[in-house]
Amino acid sequence: MSAGLHGLLARDEIRRRLHDYCRAMDRRDDELGRAVWHQDGTADYGANVFQGLGRDFVDQVSRNHLRRTAHSHQLATIGIEVDGDAAVSEAYATVRLVTETPDGVTEECFVGRYLDRWSRRDGRWAIEHRVWVLDFGEVDRPVRVPLRGTSSRDRSDPSYAVLERDLPGKGI
């Protein structure tokens, strides 16, 4: 395979893993979230948030999201550089967390970047190490008129029915 084609395929798979991460966090799909990291892959979200194995971070976030009413992880600009079976990426992210409290509904919003080091092992791209860089954020901002969504924070979410059905010729 040519280096150009290898790089193109690698960037596509890495982009999909980044999207898997957001989906896993929002649907609380821990298995999908853990698969984004290599078994020994690490995450550094700062000393006050989390430093350790990426898989353990997924478990911590999943528990944390139990107390939330809703959450959404969004990616914007994604830059990926590939060198053989190694790669690095920078993905701009916005994370919004909604929580019901006795006094009403509050929202937290964090805007930052995932700085990831990737490697391809046994034919699969996954994160070796992630650093979260917080650019800015808001915490405990009151929400004036909370709207209830139609999503679900588990595999009963309508997206699973759509994305997991077999497509002709795709073998999905």
Side-chain angles (χ1 to χ4, degrees):
M1 174 183 323
S2 74
L5 180 57
H6 172 78
L8 184 64
L9 293 172
R11 284 188 295 281
D12 182 59
E13 187 171 343
I14 289 168
R15 207 172 277 109
R16 283 186 309 199
R17 292 295 83 75
L18 288 165
H19 293 150
D20 285 349
Y21 172 78
C22 292
R23 177 178 176 72
M25 297 299 98
D26 291 339
R27 304 283 69 82
R28 295 192 58 247
D29 187 335
D30 298 350
E31 183 179 341
L32 180 62
R34 288 186 206 105
V36 172
W37 270 271
H38 285 298
Q39 191 77 24
D40 59 348
T42 55
D44 182 353
Y45 281 73
N48 295 331
V49 177
F50 182 89
Q51 292 176 318
L53 291 176
R55 292 162 175 261
D56 292 341
F57 177 72
V58 170
D59 293 340
Q60 176 179 305
V61 168
S62 187
R63 285 189 307 272
N64 177 284
H65 281 180
L66 283 173
R67 68 184 180 92
R68 309 290 184 178
T69 307
H71 30 80
S72 179
H73 292 68
Q74 306 284 318
L75 295 178
T77 305
I78 300 173
I80 303 168
E81 296 296 327
V82 178
D83 184 6
D85 286 340
V88 293
S89 67
E90 176 184 51
Y92 285 70
T94 301
V95 178
R96 299 175 79 103
L97 309 167
V98 176
T99 306
E100 287 187 35
T101 69
D103 298 326
V105 177
T106 63
E107 179 182 45
E108 297 174 60
C109 179
F110 303 99
V111 177
R113 292 166 284 136
Y114 301 128
L115 305 179
D116 296 325
R117 188 174 66 239
W118 301 81
S119 65
R120 186 172 181 262
R121 301 180 195 168
D122 300 321
R124 183 178 80 84
W125 285 96
I127 297 172
E128 285 187 353
H129 183 66
R130 165 174 284 174
V131 174
W132 163 252
V133 176
L134 177 65
D135 290 323
F136 62 91
E138 297 177 292
V139 295
D140 298 330
R141 183 173 63 81
V143 177
R144 295 182 145 222
V145 182
L147 300 175
R148 297 277 179 221
T150 59
S151 66
S152 171
R153 298 181 309 155
D154 57 25
R155 293 186 66 84
S156 69
D157 185 79
S159 63
Y160 283 89
V162 171
L163 296 174
E164 290 182 351
R165 53 173 246 239
D166 290 336
L167 297 176
K170 295 293 182 183
I172 294 175

